[in-house]
């Protein structure tokens, strides 16, 4: 549905605008600069682009902000690092990825400043530098992930065998530790405080025969209340950001890739290929997307990775259709003939010359796609077909309140989070669309 | 005509979804790695559904008519004719001497069955007991899958002189699994003349065998029976007929002579039908088709005869002509059967215990969903277009900015979030109970008058419709705005203004109609979204419509219903696209179907 807005891009079918598009592609070096200038003029879009930064930071730094594991803990006779074990052994691979992103943040920042300066001295244009620097970050994350997946490289300590939370910390004795700001874990149950509203304070002492033991977070404030088994909602929301973000981005990358390749092939080769692909696109678009995804997820099993893949394989036709239209137009422009006359292969013509020039409708659709993937994930979880229970997502919180509306905070908080994220992505998308709209460019 | 390939694609996708259906429960329990208890369906229920949906046929191409089933059936019957202990004993012999031609053939056959690592299970004697159970189970499935294609080979083997007793017992067992209903003892609900040879053939076989056991009837009894038969054949209501049979007319065993002779002799169709019913009611197991493992030669011979009586009148089915065989390659497959069911809108029965007709279920759900959908579409179009125009007319000033921003925020609210928030703020709690929580009618709404009933309905439908329409409404209004702006910037609008047409005049007379054209296309876009999105809205508001039906069928793994739902929704969308195309032509005279041609 979000792609509907993207289709508004008049560069696709309106012959009047075609000349303008051509003009812009001729000056292709300046095209993105123009887009950027236009984008900055749109105040809402520009602000939302900056708002994406804290959203990403929350996702990346979740483990450092919210965790019941202290960074450093002195238990009377030795110093422990429980947090390290925690970030290197998460239950969900997504968490591992984000933890690596968190570890890589500072090394990358240092490297980025340094390489950026070097490149600027060499006279590299700013846009290219920005691209390379972001690529550096990805490389750092991947390198860290691979590095720490090698057995034996991960730092270990004596807490490898024990869980810190229910550990036997007697309340007396000399102990100190450095804790994250919020001292609750996303999957830390607490039988005595189920379904507590926001600003509920965890009791100082537990009464169930465990009085002699003290949790590190006893007496802390559950800022956003607790859920059905007493887990902190704030912690689940923060970790849910990671799931939502990764579902959004991975699903969109999957269907963008498929859509770009299939659309380019259909548009470039035409004839029977085009007809076959167009029919397939039509057929997939006929089925109500949400229902189709629901069936596939329900039948194939519940996991976020499956959701990403299923969204990916059911959503590509919209992108393919956009790209096909654009490629059809680019195919008959002189530079394509020139490239072919110079002896470039079909592959090279498509991926080096035509595709970069037909990306704009797909680029506009991407932010909307991320937003709709986030919505989809939440709605699947709401219906109970999403992730398996211990994984924290926003939709699961909503599901808890589905039967009973007295748990208002379980509805309002995830709703607000979903709304804000979706709005941010939609605003970026609409800003991009307006910026790429040649009619507004003067 | 261009829709045909699309339709074809729709059936392919539906077919693929059908393939996700959980497998045979028997197979799941037999394979070592089978996920047991995954499906709560019983074997029997599964079998009925399997036969109903033709899941025992090959997927796409059926070459079974050309396959020679003599050898596999000989092997299958060899095992089915033996008890599990005997099979274990034989397995031991197979392991000791796997190379003799007889044993090699047997092992080859067993390997063609879908075992998990058959070799290791065969070589380990401790696993032989379970393997024997599995062999019997898999052969059962094999026979059920072969179905009618193996019957002629089996009957030939059964009648050949080479077959020993155990093989014959096994063969009878196999044939019994291949054929669903061996003998047709009675006519169907509406008797047809074409059924007569089958029914009469069955009873003739029985009568030839049993004739001497029935003494001749006396005159008086004959007359009474004649009268009763006349009453019964005059009876039109079937329930009344069975009431007569169960409560008023009682027959002795000897009376059967009368009915048998009546049926086999000269009589009209109605009388024959009644006679068959009576005979079937009073004779238990006239022609047994099953045999236990330990049994004497005489009984086996008799049951074989019963099977021959089944086989002979159906010879043309079991030994089809070459033309039919060739046709069956494509026609008698899972895919072909499914396409036929979809095209003719026969969706069969639900896989749930209630065994309701899927089409009934769909209609009930559709009757609930459709008004909501239509209302939502109306709201979408009647609210969004004026809003879009309002924005476009006031382009750039404060009204446009505020409205656009609001629409944009609205666009970012997922329908289910809106639904839950509405319920939370407007329905739940003590102070703001503006709307009902769920369902579409109050309790006891059936007794209301028409006006009150409709008002009650509207009151209940208010929130769901709002939720359904919010998202598309915002999208469409924004679209209407840009579309209008596009048109307002055109030359002919400037010309009209220059001519002296007023501002409003230009907007409503010249611009509006042209701006409507692209908006129309969105009708076909918003409908799939509405159909899909209704799952969430209906679950949240507990409305038993299409969405809820879909959700429940997924939860209960009711595949016939699911497939029908998917298919019907796709067809609805297809039709809406067609409708959009037609509307296009009506609204915009510049466009004609002839000119659109390739697009």
């Amino acid at each position: 549905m979000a792609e509907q807005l993207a289709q508004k891009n008049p560069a696709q079918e309106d012959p009047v605008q075609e000349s303008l598009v051509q003009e812009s592609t001729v000056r292709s070096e300046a095209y993105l600069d123009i887009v950027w200038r236009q984008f900055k003029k749109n105040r809402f879009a520009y602000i939302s682009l900056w708002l994406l930064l804290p959203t990403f930071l929350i996702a990346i730094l979740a483990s450092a902000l919210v965790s019941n594991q202290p960074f450093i803990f002195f238990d009377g006779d030795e110093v422990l690092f429980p947090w390290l074990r925690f970030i290197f052994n998460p239950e969900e691979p997504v968490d591992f990825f984000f933890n690596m992103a968190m570890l890589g943040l500072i090394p990358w920042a240092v490297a980025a400043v340094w390489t950026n300066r070097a490149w600027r001295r060499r006279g590299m244009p700013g846009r290219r530098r920005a691209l390379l620097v972001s690529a550096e970050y990805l490389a750092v994350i991947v390198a860290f992930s691979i590095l720490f997946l090698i057995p034996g490289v991960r730092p270990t300590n004596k807490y490898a065998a024990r869980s810190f939370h229910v550990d036997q910390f007697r309340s007396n004795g000399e102990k100190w530790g450095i804790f994250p700001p919020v001292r609750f874990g996303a999957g830390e149950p607490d039988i005595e405080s189920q379904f507590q509203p926001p600003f509920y304070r965890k009791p100082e002492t537990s009464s169930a025969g465990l009085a002699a033991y003290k949790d590190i977070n006893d007496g802390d404030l559950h800022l956003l209340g607790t859920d059905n088994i007493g887990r902190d909602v704030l912690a689940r929301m923060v970790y849910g950001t990671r799931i939502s973000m990764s579902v959004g981005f991975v699903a969109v990358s999957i269907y963008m890739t498929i859509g770009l390749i299939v659309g380019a092939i259909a548009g470039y080769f035409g004839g029977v290929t085009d007809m076959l692909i167009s029919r397939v696109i039509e057929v997939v678009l006929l089925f109500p997307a949400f229902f189709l995804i629901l069936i596939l997820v329900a039948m194939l099993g519940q996991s976020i990775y499956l959701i990403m893949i299923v969204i990916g394989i059911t959503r590509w036709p919209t992108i393919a259709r956009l790209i096909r239209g654009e490629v059809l137009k680019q195919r008959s422009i002189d530079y394509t003939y020139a490239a072919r006359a110079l002896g470039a292969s079909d592959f090279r013509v498509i991926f080096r010359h035509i595709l970069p020039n037909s990306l704009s409708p797909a680029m506009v659709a991407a932010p909307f796609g991320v937003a709709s993937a986030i919505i989809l994930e939440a709605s699947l979880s709401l219906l109970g077909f999403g992730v398996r229970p211990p994984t924290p997502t926003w939709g699961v919180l909503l599901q808890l309140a589905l039967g009973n509306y007295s748990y208002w905070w379980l509805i309002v908080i995830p709703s607000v989070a979903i709304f804000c994220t979706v709005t941010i992505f939609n605003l970026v998308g609409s800003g991009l669309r307006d910026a790429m709209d040649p009619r507004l460019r003067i | 005509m261009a829709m045909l390939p699309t339709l074809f694609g729709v059936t392919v996708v539906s077919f693929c979804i059908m393939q996700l259906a959980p497998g045979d429960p028997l197979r799941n329990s037999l394979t070592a790695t089978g996920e047991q208890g995954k499906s709560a369906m019983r074997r029997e229920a599964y079998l009925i559904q399997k036969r109903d949906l033709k899941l025992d046929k090959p997927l796409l191409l059926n070459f079974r008519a050309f396959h020679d089933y003599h050898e596999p059936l000989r092997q299958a019957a060899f095992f089915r004719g033996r008890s599990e202990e005997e099979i274990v004993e034989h397995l031991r012999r197979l392991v000791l001497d796997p190379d003799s031609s007889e044993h090699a053939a047997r092992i080859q056959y067993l390997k063609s069955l879908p075992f998990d690592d058959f070799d290791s299970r065969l070589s380990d004697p401790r696993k032989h007991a379970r393997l024997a159970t599995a062999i019997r189970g898999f052969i059962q499935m094999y026979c059920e899958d072969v179905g009618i294609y193996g019957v002629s080979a089996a009957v030939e083997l059964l009648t050949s002189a080479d077959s020993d007793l155990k093989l014959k017992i096994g063969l009878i067992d196999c044939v019994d699994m291949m054929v669903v209903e061996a003998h047709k003892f009675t006519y169907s609900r509406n008797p047809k003349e074409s059924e007569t040879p089958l029914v009469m053939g069955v009873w003739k076989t029985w009568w030839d065998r049993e004739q001497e056991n029935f003494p001749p009837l006396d005159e008086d009894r004959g007359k009474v029976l004649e009268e009763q038969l006349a009453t019964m054949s005059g009876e039109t209501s079937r329930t009344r007929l069975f009431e007569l049979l169960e409560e008023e007319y009682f027959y002795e065993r000897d009376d059967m002579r009368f009915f048998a002779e009546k049926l086999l002799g000269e009589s009209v169709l109605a009388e024959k039908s009644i006679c068959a019913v009576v005979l079937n009611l009073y004779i238990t197991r006239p022609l047994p088709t099953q045999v236990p493992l330990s049994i004497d030669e005489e009984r086996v011979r008799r049951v074989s005869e019963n099977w021959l009586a089944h086989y002979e009148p159906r010879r043309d089915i079991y030994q089809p002509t070459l033309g039919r065989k060739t046709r069956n390659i494509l026609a008698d497959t899972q895919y072909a059967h499914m396409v036929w069911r979809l095209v003719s809108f026969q969706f069969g029965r639900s896989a749930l215990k209630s065994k309701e007709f899927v089409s009934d279920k769909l209609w009930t759900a559709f009757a609930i969903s459709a008004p909501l959908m239509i209302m939502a579409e109306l709201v979408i179009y009647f609210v969004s277009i004026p809003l879009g125009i309002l924005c476009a007319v006031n382009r750039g000033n404060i009204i446009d900015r505020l409205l656009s921003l609001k629409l944009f925020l609205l666009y970012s609210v997922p329908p289910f979030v809106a639904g839950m928030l509405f319920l939370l703020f407007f329905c739940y709690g003590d102070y703001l109970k503006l709307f009902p929580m769920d369902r579409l009618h109050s309790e006891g709404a059936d007794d209301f008058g028409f006006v009150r009933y409709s008002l009650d309905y509207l009151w209940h439908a208010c929130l769901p419709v709002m939720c359904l329409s919010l998202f598309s409404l915002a999208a469409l209004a924004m679209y209407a705005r840009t579309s209008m702006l596009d048109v307002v910037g055109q030359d002919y609008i400037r010309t009209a203004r220059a001519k002296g047409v007023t501002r409003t005049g230009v907007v409503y007379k010249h611009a509006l109609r042209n701006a409507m054209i692209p908006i129309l296309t969105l009708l076909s876009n918003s409908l799939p979204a509405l159909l899909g999105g209704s799952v969430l809205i209906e679950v949240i508001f507990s409305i038993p419509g299409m969405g809820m039906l879909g959700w429940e069928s997924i939860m209960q793994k009711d595949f016939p219903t699911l497939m029908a739902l998917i298919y019907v929704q796709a067809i609805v969308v297809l039709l809406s696209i067609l409708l959009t195309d037609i509307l296009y032509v009506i609204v915009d005279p510049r466009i004609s179907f002839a000119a659109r041609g390739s697009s």
Side-chain angles (χ1 to χ4, degrees), chain B residues 6 15 84 93 135 224 238 267 378 390 394 429 486 536 552 559 599:
Chain B
T6 318
F15 185 63
E84 281 180 21
R93 244 178 285 156
I135 286 175
V224 174
R238 207 171 157 83
S267 54
L378 286 180
L390 192 66
N394 295 300
D486 266 356
L536 284 158
E552 282 176 349
F559 278 88
S599 66

Side-chain angles (χ1 to χ4, degrees), chain B residues 190-319:
Chain B
N190 298 312
K192 283 189 228 48
E193 198 64 60
S194 56
E195 292 169 314
T196 309
L198 289 180
V199 177
M200 265 172 68
V202 171
W203 286 111
K204 190 162 174 0
T205 319
W206 171 77
W207 188 237
D208 289 346
R209 206 179 285 162
E210 301 279 331
Q211 201 166 7
E212 55 266 28
N213 299 343
F214 291 91
L217 282 177
D218 55 36
E219 288 276 310
D220 301 340
R221 185 64 186 158
K223 266 181 196 152
V224 174
L225 290 177
E226 192 83 47
E227 262 173 37
Q228 287 180 350
L229 184 61
T231 344
M232 283 193 288
S233 51
E235 191 59 59
T236 46
S237 144
R238 207 171 157 83
T239 35
R240 175 82 191 119
L241 177 67
F242 278 98
E243 273 174 28
L244 279 177
L245 276 174
E246 279 166 19
E247 284 153 28
E248 295 183 27
Y249 302 154
F250 296 100
Y251 301 113
E252 300 294 318
R253 188 180 146 77
D254 293 350
D255 297 340
M256 291 305 117
R257 170 174 277 274
F258 169 80
F259 290 106
E261 280 172 350
K262 199 79 188 169
L263 177 68
L264 299 175
E266 291 288 314
S267 54
V268 292
L269 187 61
E271 285 176 339
K272 278 190 201 291
S273 162
I274 303 283
C275 289
V277 169
V278 174
L279 282 169
N280 194 33
L281 212 58
Y282 282 86
I283 309 289
T284 47
R285 293 166 42 98
L287 298 180
T289 53
Q290 288 170 317
V291 286
L293 286 179
S294 53
I295 203 169
D296 57 88
E297 191 119 9
E298 173 60 23
R299 291 275 296 284
V300 169
R301 194 184 55 76
R302 188 171 287 185
V303 177
S304 311
E305 271 172 20
N306 291 345
W307 276 111
L308 272 180
H310 163 81
Y311 180 71
E312 287 301 333
R314 294 173 179 79
R315 198 176 264 276
D316 54 330
I317 297 177
Y318 291 134
Q319 292 183 331

